[in-house]
């Protein structure tokens, strides 16, 4: 009586095929996830500018001229990160985050638009959905 030792060629080919199918699904999802992480870096860097714009708007009752210095911020090209080229404050307190270092988001912009809440007690922010040229699938959840 002969005992089977090891796996047959068919069994090995089935395992390799299954691994190939799983990799074909997982790699694109992982790549999207890494780009989404890079976009969220821009949101983190813009948080200081969001605070400055909101504080200035609430204390002055208006948005000052459209430069970072008007809000007490460093120049737009001084606010950078690994994947962020600049964070600039524009007209009406609009914040524009420009990305670099990744072909999916290189030179694309995420725009954050402030809106004074009813009663004037706070500023809310709108981003994505037609205001930015970053693909929707890469936007953080609060921008989709």
């Amino acid at each position: 009586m002969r005992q089977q030792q090891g796996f047959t060629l068919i069994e090995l080919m089935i395992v390799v095929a299954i691994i190939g199918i799983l990799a074909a699904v997982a790699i694109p999802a992982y790549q999207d996830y890494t780009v989404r992480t890079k976009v969220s870096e821009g949101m983190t860097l813009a948080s200081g500018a969001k605070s400055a714009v909101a504080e200035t708007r609430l204390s002055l009752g208006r948005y000052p001229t459209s430069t970072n210095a008007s809000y007490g911020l460093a120049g737009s090209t001084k606010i950078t990160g690994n994947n962020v080229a600049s964070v600039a404050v524009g007209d009406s307190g609009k914040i524009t985050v420009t990305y670099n270092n990744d072909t999916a988001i290189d030179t694309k912009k995420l725009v954050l638009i402030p809106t004074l809440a009813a009663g004037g007690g706070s500023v809310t922010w709108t981003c994505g959905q037609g205001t930015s040229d970053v693909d929707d699938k890469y936007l953080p959840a609060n921008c989709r």
Side-chain angles (χ1 to χ4, degrees):
M1 193 162 174
R2 213 173 141 206
Q3 289 184 344
Q4 181 180 1
Q5 304 232 338
F7 299 103
T8 65
L9 182 59
I10 291 291
E11 291 170 332
L12 292 174
M13 288 175 61
I14 290 171
V15 169
V16 168
I18 290 170
I19 291 172
I21 291 168
L22 291 174
V25 171
I27 289 173
Y30 176 74
Q31 289 171 333
D32 287 352
Y33 173 76
T34 58
V35 173
R36 213 171 309 137
T37 302
K38 293 173 182 181
V39 171
S40 70
E41 178 191 14
M43 294 291 285
T44 302
L45 287 172
S47 65
K50 286 169 62 175
S51 297
V53 168
E55 183 179 327
T56 303
R57 172 64 176 96
L58 294 173
S59 64
L60 292 179
R62 61 179 173 76
Y63 296 105
T65 58
S66 59
T67 64
N68 284 23
S70 309
Y71 294 93
L73 297 168
S76 63
T77 56
K78 300 284 186 194
I79 305 173
T80 62
N82 293 334
N83 303 291
V84 175
S86 67
V87 176
V89 179
D91 294 334
S92 301
K94 191 181 334 179
I95 299 171
T96 304
V97 180
T98 306
Y99 294 94
N100 62 1
N101 292 339
D102 190 305
T103 56
I105 56 173
D106 198 23
T107 70
K108 296 205 176 187
K109 295 174 178 17
L110 174 66
V111 180
L112 305 166
I113 301 170
T115 306
L116 191 61
S122 65
V123 174
T124 57
W125 295 89
T126 306
C127 60
Q129 300 172 344
T131 62
S132 306
D133 57 359
V134 174
D135 292 339
D136 287 344
K137 67 180 178 179
Y138 300 134
L139 292 174
N142 58 340
C143 292
R144 285 188 231 147

